Amino acid sequence: VLINNASSLGPVPLAPLADTECEDFARALATNVLGPFRLTKALLGALAASAREGRGGVVLDVSSDAAVSAYPNWGAYGASKAALAHLSRIWNEECNALGVRFLSLDPGDMDTPLHALAVPGADRMALRAPADAAREFADAIASALRQRDESLQ
């Protein structure tokens, strides 16, 4: 199992695209798209070997609602997460024959340092606990592995 969870907002504080420095946009793309691409590419052989040996292989790309909804000032982050979600769908299609499954899941607004940077005045009590999202992700990974096992029977 590979979980691509690293993330960059781009400019902090968040800014309109017109005010976003190219370097901030590039950093968001490098962290949120290129990093997961490189790590997946580097580990794909091991994931495929695991699938061939009956243990399965799953890659989880952590996405965001900003990947599908256009929020003002979230341009670098949203564009990079949209690219990651699409990359995950392409990997899934291309690696299906290898037995490697790709998931792209949105954990929702969580009480994390990244969220605090993005929305400094947010009510932390209204945010999701990261442990709850982690359990949900673990369940989704287990389900993907079970579905693979069932399709092989």
Side-chain angles (χ1 to χ4, degrees):
V1 173
L2 167 61
I3 300 174
N4 288 312
N5 186 48
S7 197
S8 170
L9 291 169
V12 177
L14 299 176
L17 279 175
D19 297 333
T20 299
E21 297 295 329
C22 292
E23 294 76 13
D24 288 331
F25 193 81
R27 185 174 46 255
L29 290 171
T31 303
N32 300 344
V33 183
L34 191 55
F37 173 79
R38 286 182 170 159
L39 191 54
T40 301
K41 187 172 172 62
L43 296 177
L44 190 56
L47 290 161
S50 178
R52 279 193 309 276
E53 294 167 5
R55 294 188 311 266
V58 175
V59 176
L60 169 62
D61 292 325
V62 178
S63 189
S64 168
D65 60 333
V68 294
S69 296
Y71 299 123
N73 301 333
W74 288 76
Y77 180 79
S80 64
K81 287 297 187 171
L84 178 63
H86 197 64
L87 187 68
S88 184
R89 288 189 297 270
I90 293 168
W91 276 120
N92 195 57
E93 290 297 318
E94 292 180 351
C95 296
N96 189 42
L98 299 174
V100 180
R101 176 92 191 273
F102 286 74
L103 305 172
S104 177
L105 300 175
D106 170 15
D109 291 341
M110 293 189 300
D111 185 15
T112 64
L114 189 74
H115 191 278
L117 282 173
V119 188
D123 176 9
R124 293 180 62 195
M125 297 303 294
L127 300 174
R128 188 166 191 211
D132 293 339
R135 279 188 288 281
E136 187 177 289
F137 285 177
D139 289 346
I141 291 166
S143 177
L145 290 170
R146 275 192 308 275
Q147 288 172 2
R148 182 196 176 279
D149 290 344
E150 291 167 3
S151 71
L152 294 174
Q153 295 176 358

